[in-house]
Amino acid sequence: MKSKRVLTDKIAQHNKQMWERLAKAGMNYTRPFGRPPKTRAGMRRFMDPRQRLKGVRLDGARVLGLAAGGGWDPVIFAKLGGDVTVFDISPTQLKTVKDLAARQRVKVRLVRGNMKDLSVFKDESFDVVWHCHSLVFVDDAARVLKEVGRVLARGGTYVLSTMHPTTLRLYGSYRDGGWSPKITYFEDKPVPYTDEWGMTWTLGNKQLVAPTIEFGHRFETIINGMAAAGMVVDGLWEFSPGDPESDTELGSDAHLDTLFPAFIEVRARKLS
Ligand SMILES: C[S@@+](CC[C@H](N)C(=O)[O-])C[C@H]1O[C@@H](n2cnc3c(N)ncnc32)[C@H](O)[C@@H]1O
């Protein structure tokens, strides 16, 4: 496993410790949950249920799973014939992928580091950059996007999913019959916690306090960051997982997710 130089980024250091804690406890996003089907089409659906990579050739593609430790995705890309590199700040998250790849008899390259600095990779060295649910953990989204634009080959595809910037500002803020944002939309600082224990992660009956520092990067930061990095956006989607009709406790985060999107997905292509 390659290791990037010592980190001096306090936010990254803190979030690395939190992800180590989460990974050691086996919380969400740190275990390869479920079992992918055996067919190529089934594997693609399992990994990419909303088909953001529809039409993109994966056999032989150079794929970067950015902050993609802990789950199936890098291993599925490899099973689909990709030449896969997984980059993550957490050694435990990377080890989970390494062990899964060995069990599944595929090869993935593991690189440890902070996504704000991808200098370990050459310019234009990937055809696909797959980046799920981790941009919230860095303060400077534009810098990450600039790095993505640099390492992406011309004509290559970048798929980003992250927290919806409005909804993230509203979680846990329901009082007296309504939600109120914890910070304004225009503030780029970390979104504060509202519970006195710090942020508690839940999986079934398991609970773990792991107050990751999270930023709700605004649409203009993301879209303009992509443009500045030489990419064009060709799709933007807002969604919540689960059933919008389901019964939820009034004012809970799950209730909020039925009213506002939990996540955004943005797809961009590097200009040729
Ligand atoms: C929510 S998990 C996503 C895991 C995987 N991509 C998935 O979708 O299941 C967030 C990941 O981001 C990683 N991470 C957090 N901050 C990072 C940083 N600054 N640089 C690289 N990886 C980071 C964590 O270690 C963790 O593996």
Side-chain angles (χ1 to χ4, degrees):
M1 186 190 303
K2 286 196 179 168
S3 177
K4 274 295 304 150
R5 65 170 177 250
V6 178
L7 293 160
T8 48
D9 177 340
K10 287 206 171 100
I11 290 163
Q13 284 284 22
H14 173 87
N15 282 335
K16 174 187 163 196
Q17 282 167 9
M18 293 304 107
W19 277 101
E20 283 293 288
R21 189 184 291 178
L22 287 160
K24 285 184 176 140
M27 303 304 278
N28 271 335
Y29 295 105
T30 68
R31 284 285 173 275
F33 287 111
R35 269 218 152 263
K38 294 228 175 336
T39 62
R40 294 181 68 81
M43 280 192 270
R44 281 190 80 134
R45 262 197 317 275
F46 180 88
M47 178 186 71
D48 180 20
R50 287 166 297 278
Q51 299 191 58
R52 302 309 177 215
L53 286 174
K54 192 172 178 187
V56 175
R57 191 180 56 84
L58 296 180
D59 195 9
R62 297 163 298 167
V63 178
L64 174 63
L66 189 52
W72 272 106
D73 294 359
V75 169
I76 294 179
F77 277 116
K79 279 174 164 274
L80 291 167
D83 172 6
V84 182
T85 302
V86 51
F87 183 93
D88 201 290
I89 205 165
S90 153
T92 307
Q93 289 284 78
L94 286 170
K95 183 171 183 310
T96 300
V97 176
K98 183 181 175 195
D99 294 346
L100 181 66
R103 288 200 300 279
Q104 296 287 319
R105 297 172 202 278
V106 290
K107 260 179 49 188
V108 296
R109 186 160 69 118
L110 307 169
V111 183
R112 186 156 60 85
N114 182 347
M115 68 180 112
K116 281 162 66 175
D117 177 5
L118 301 180
S119 58
V120 68
F121 303 123
K122 293 199 180 95
D123 293 359
E124 305 191 5
S125 48
F126 295 101
D127 304 301
V128 173
V129 177
W130 181 250
H131 188 190
C132 297
H133 304 311
S134 58
L135 195 65
V136 284
F137 301 116
V138 295
D139 51 354
D140 190 347
R143 182 165 162 177
V144 175
L145 297 169
K146 192 168 174 211
E147 282 291 80
V148 169
R150 182 183 65 74
V151 301
L152 196 60
R154 285 152 209 257
T157 304
Y158 174 44
V159 176
L160 167 74
S161 54
T162 190
M163 308 282 286
H164 194 287
T166 305
T167 318
L168 183 61
R169 284 164 168 79
L170 295 175
Y171 286 127
S173 73
Y174 189 85
R175 302 279 177 281
D176 306 323
W179 282 272
S180 60
K182 292 181 276 185
I183 55 173
T184 73
Y185 190 74
F186 303 102
E187 287 171 285
D188 289 324
K189 57 191 191 191
V191 179
Y193 301 111
T194 43
D195 69 81
E196 60 186 289
W197 309 108
M199 195 176 136
T200 307
W201 294 65
T202 307
L203 176 63
N205 296 330
K206 254 197 294 194
Q207 290 205 319
L208 183 75
V209 175
T212 44
I213 300 172
E214 296 179 10
F215 297 82
H217 298 297
R218 296 185 266 145
F219 285 103
E220 70 171 33
T221 308
I222 292 174
I223 307 302
N224 292 340
M226 288 176 168
M231 295 181 269
V232 279
V233 172
D234 78 340
L236 166 67
W237 300 270
E238 302 172 287
F239 68 101
S240 291
D243 174 8
E245 304 294 313
S246 65
D247 265 352
T248 49
E249 189 192 331
L250 181 69
S252 65
D253 291 354
H255 180 202
L256 183 61
D257 285 348
T258 65
L259 306 173
F260 284 88
F263 300 113
I264 61 171
E265 276 174 333
V266 189
R267 186 179 57 212
R269 317 271 182 181
K270 172 87 170 276
L271 291 169
S272 41

